[in-house]
Amino acid sequence: MEREALLALARQVALRAHCPYSHFHVGAALIAGGKTYVGVNIEISSYGLTLCAERSALAAALSDGAGPITAIAVACIDATPDAPLGARTPCGACRQWIADLAPEAVIFIDGAERDFHIPDLLPHAFGF
Ligand code: THU
């Protein structure tokens, strides 16, 4: 699946985000071993236990026994067009998950002018 198609899927699944508190819908779509997996942010009443879209998609892929993750697309569909890049990029926790679980993946950010790899987003990432 090409870049634009993966981003389109991320935007589409973002509509299914469970975000009654922030109303900030995020979708993620990734390619692993030739298969596609999606995730959305899931907020619960104990806010700190919220699950981001990226980690949701990574968990889906790992749970399915997926192969290596080669591409991840993220769409923050409620970010305004003039919002800074930081309103669209993965949070710190998700960066660590990507560093651990998808270190080679190209990361497509909806609305960004360039693509990323994890060293761009999390230099000197912790890891065993
Ligand atoms: N969110 C994500 O899903 N991914 C990120 O990387 C950043 C933040 C979600 C968490 C919360 O549900 C909402 O966006 C607002 O922070």
Side-chain angles (χ1 to χ4, degrees), residues 51-74:
L51 180 62
C52 291
E54 298 91 325
R55 281 177 283 151
S56 180
L58 288 164
L62 270 287
S63 299
D64 193 45
I69 297 166
T70 51
I72 303 173
V74 182

Side-chain angles (χ1 to χ4, degrees), residues 105-128:
V106 60
I107 301 164
F108 305 133
I109 305 295
D110 193 38
E113 292 180 356
R114 55 161 289 196
D115 299 329
F116 300 89
H117 287 81
I118 199 61
D120 303 317
L121 300 176
L122 188 62
H124 310 292
F126 175 79
F128 289 117

Side-chain angles (χ1 to χ4, degrees), residues 6-65:
L6 202 60
L7 281 166
L9 181 59
R11 286 193 296 271
Q12 182 185 327
V13 300
L15 297 171
R16 301 204 292 262
H18 181 71
C19 52
Y21 305 105
S22 75
H23 305 289
F24 191 78
H25 296 71
V26 186
L30 64 79
I31 304 288
K35 293 178 68 176
T36 303
Y37 299 89
V38 298
V40 298
N41 54 326
I42 301 169
E43 299 176 352
I44 58 172
S45 54
S46 182
Y47 302 161
L49 300 182
T50 288
L51 180 62
C52 291
E54 298 91 325
R55 281 177 283 151
S56 180
L58 288 164
L62 270 287
S63 299
D64 193 45

